[in-house]
Amino acid sequence: MQRHYGLDWLRIGAFAILILYHVGMVFVPWDFHAKLPGAWWVAVPMMASNPWRLALLFVVSGYASRALFLRNKVPWRFARQRTLRLLVPLAFGVAVIVPVQPWVELSLKYGYTQGFWHFWVHDFFRFGRVGPMVLPVWNHLWFVGYLWVYTLVLALLATVLPGGVRGAIQRGFAFAMRGPALLLVPIAWMILVNFVLFPGGRETHALVGDWVAHATYLPAFLFGFALACAPATIAGFVRRWRWSAAIAVAAYALVAGIEIRWPGNTMPPPWGTVFAIARAVEGWAAIAALIGFADRHWNRDHRWRRTLTEAVFPFYIVHQSIIVLGAYWLRGAGWPIWLDAVTLVAATVAGCWAFYLVGRAIGPLRPLIGLRRHASRRTGLDPRPAIA
């Protein structure tokens, strides 16, 4: 396998959108750890990425995992390498980076009066309730935990399935995922998940019992894994990316129109069903369009790609804590929404870069923020970033 630079750029772009999305969470009516005065209309542009941003990350992670799997050759080596690269920063993030988020939430919403140091030392690791919250929590780092679990599932399948069976599955994927099926089959699966298998279900990000999320993201991860060795399927995405983009835009227009007409999940029953179906169509059509566009137009290297690819995981680990703490500090400032938003984005980007640069420069800290212990001598960068 050759490295797919286009999917690297998709990963970078998806995590950049994620940061903006979490800044937006401060201003919309939806529940979040810290809130600032906002407006209902902020939810409308957020819905342009809401149905596909996480599924895309799991597809790209599955694709990159295929290269790592082929490099390690033996499934248990692959599982061991991914465990070290994912669980170490996950444990560090949960223990050190995440605690500020529940502290802010408890302080602002539930009248918690103790300072952060007291909370961190005495309450965060209680493994029990503090007010309405069961601590400790992993909050946004659920993605890393799920990615690790899906990696173990993949390694287990590779261990128990004979090589001939694995080859037959790969050929079956390449045969099935062509033509209109590239759009129709995944969309049909998402509709099946939301309306037949788990009607009315919601993602919990609690790992155990989170069937809606697993039914969505595990197939996306396995799809990306198979896609890495299916060049004809990638070519199909490339040929149809304009049609896919048009379908995604049309579906988003319907989603946005319903949200504008009935904001905040107040739409009557028939329109609620239309809204959910349109989100499923938008979600996969956007992913199909982005993969095709990335292969056609972005599959080339640039001097900033390796740095940005390496920085993605450290940015992801720390960004939400910076956003929540920033919102905590900005409360009561009385600024207009645009100034609050610009300040939060600037503070988050600056804080993430500082976290990455300091962690990258100090050897013992590198594994804690998702980097290899030793960087490449030629570039000073991690040749194989952990989030893949």
Side-chain angles (χ1 to χ4, degrees):
M1 284 182 56
Q2 293 182 342
R3 189 175 193 103
H4 198 295
Y5 298 125
L7 294 188
D8 276 349
W9 291 117
L10 275 189
R11 183 191 298 112
I12 294 164
F15 276 104
I17 289 172
L18 183 66
I19 290 176
L20 295 176
Y21 188 90
H22 283 158
V23 169
M25 287 294 294
V26 174
F27 302 100
V28 291
W30 310 335
D31 187 43
F32 196 58
H33 311 289
K35 308 295 288 187
L36 290 173
W40 68 267
W41 59 261
V42 177
V44 176
M46 291 174 65
M47 287 179 177
S49 67
N50 180 283
W52 55 263
R53 56 190 177 83
L54 291 170
L56 174 64
L57 286 174
F58 279 106
V59 170
V60 174
S61 296
Y63 186 101
S65 294
R66 188 62 172 265
L68 298 172
F69 183 86
L70 293 174
R71 184 178 296 120
N72 284 277
K73 295 183 174 63
V74 181
W76 70 264
R77 290 179 182 171
F78 168 72
R80 176 180 177 273
Q81 189 258 359
R82 300 305 291 150
T83 296
L84 291 174
R85 296 301 302 279
L86 293 173
L87 287 195
V88 170
L90 175 60
F92 171 74
V94 169
V96 178
I97 305 300
V98 167
V100 69
Q101 298 176 37
W103 173 71
V104 167
E105 185 170 3
L106 287 169
S107 299
L108 294 181
K109 297 181 181 180
Y110 304 107
Y112 186 83
T113 58
Q114 300 292 338
F116 174 71
W117 180 256
H118 181 277
F119 169 78
W120 191 30
V121 173
H122 297 283
D123 289 329
F124 182 72
F125 299 101
R126 180 176 291 189
F127 292 91
R129 287 191 175 274
V130 176
M133 196 176 298
V134 178
L135 298 172
V137 293
W138 60 6
N139 285 1
H140 68 293
L141 296 182
W142 69 268
F143 173 82
V144 183
Y146 280 41
L147 182 57
W148 173 69
V149 171
Y150 297 164
T151 298
L152 296 187
V153 170
L154 184 61
L156 178 63
L157 291 174
T159 300
V160 300
L161 295 178
V165 174
R166 298 201 303 269
I169 294 173
Q170 180 66 52
R171 291 190 296 272
F173 172 87
F175 177 80
M177 290 295 103
R178 57 181 183 172
L182 277 175
L183 281 176
L184 296 179
V185 172
I187 289 173
W189 172 252
M190 292 309 305
I191 293 174
L192 181 69
V193 167
N194 287 281
F195 288 94
V196 179
L197 298 180
F198 309 104
R202 294 290 184 269
E203 296 179 23
T204 66
H205 302 159
L207 187 60
V208 177
D210 193 9
W211 300 118
V212 175
H214 295 317
T216 302
Y217 300 134
L218 178 56
F221 177 77
L222 296 176
F223 184 98
F225 187 83
L227 180 67
C229 289
T233 303
I234 296 178
F237 281 128
V238 174
R239 286 193 300 271
R240 295 172 179 82
W241 78 263
R242 290 183 177 85
W243 284 105
S244 300
I247 293 171
V249 170
Y252 167 66
L254 182 57
V255 167
I258 294 173
E259 177 64 21
I260 292 170
R261 174 62 180 83
W262 296 288
N265 293 323
T266 62
M267 67 278 294
W271 287 105
T273 301
V274 173
F275 181 85
I277 293 174
R279 286 186 79 255
V281 173
E282 177 197 348
W284 186 255
I287 291 172
L290 288 167
I291 291 174
F293 184 87
D295 188 86
R296 172 64 62 87
H297 298 288
W298 290 347
N299 197 12
R300 55 181 61 88
D301 204 0
H302 185 275
R303 62 190 180 91
W304 278 99
R305 181 198 57 81
R306 294 192 69 174
T307 300
L308 293 174
T309 300
E310 183 188 59
V312 158
F313 200 4
F315 271 51
Y316 178 73
I317 290 171
V318 78
H319 80 279
Q320 185 162 294
S321 289
I322 297 175
I323 292 170
V324 170
L325 195 57
Y328 178 76
W329 285 335
L330 287 173
R331 74 193 193 286
W335 292 354
I337 183 173
W338 68 267
L339 185 55
D340 280 337
V342 169
T343 302
L344 272 182
V345 170
T348 303
V349 173
C352 288
W353 270 114
F355 180 79
Y356 162 62
L357 293 176
V358 171
R360 185 182 73 170
I362 301 173
L365 294 182
R366 291 178 60 88
L368 301 181
I369 66 170
L371 306 181
R372 292 172 66 87
R373 183 63 180 266
H374 302 290
S376 166
R377 291 183 178 180
R378 182 173 64 85
T379 64
L381 299 175
D382 185 346
R384 285 176 285 179
I387 285 236

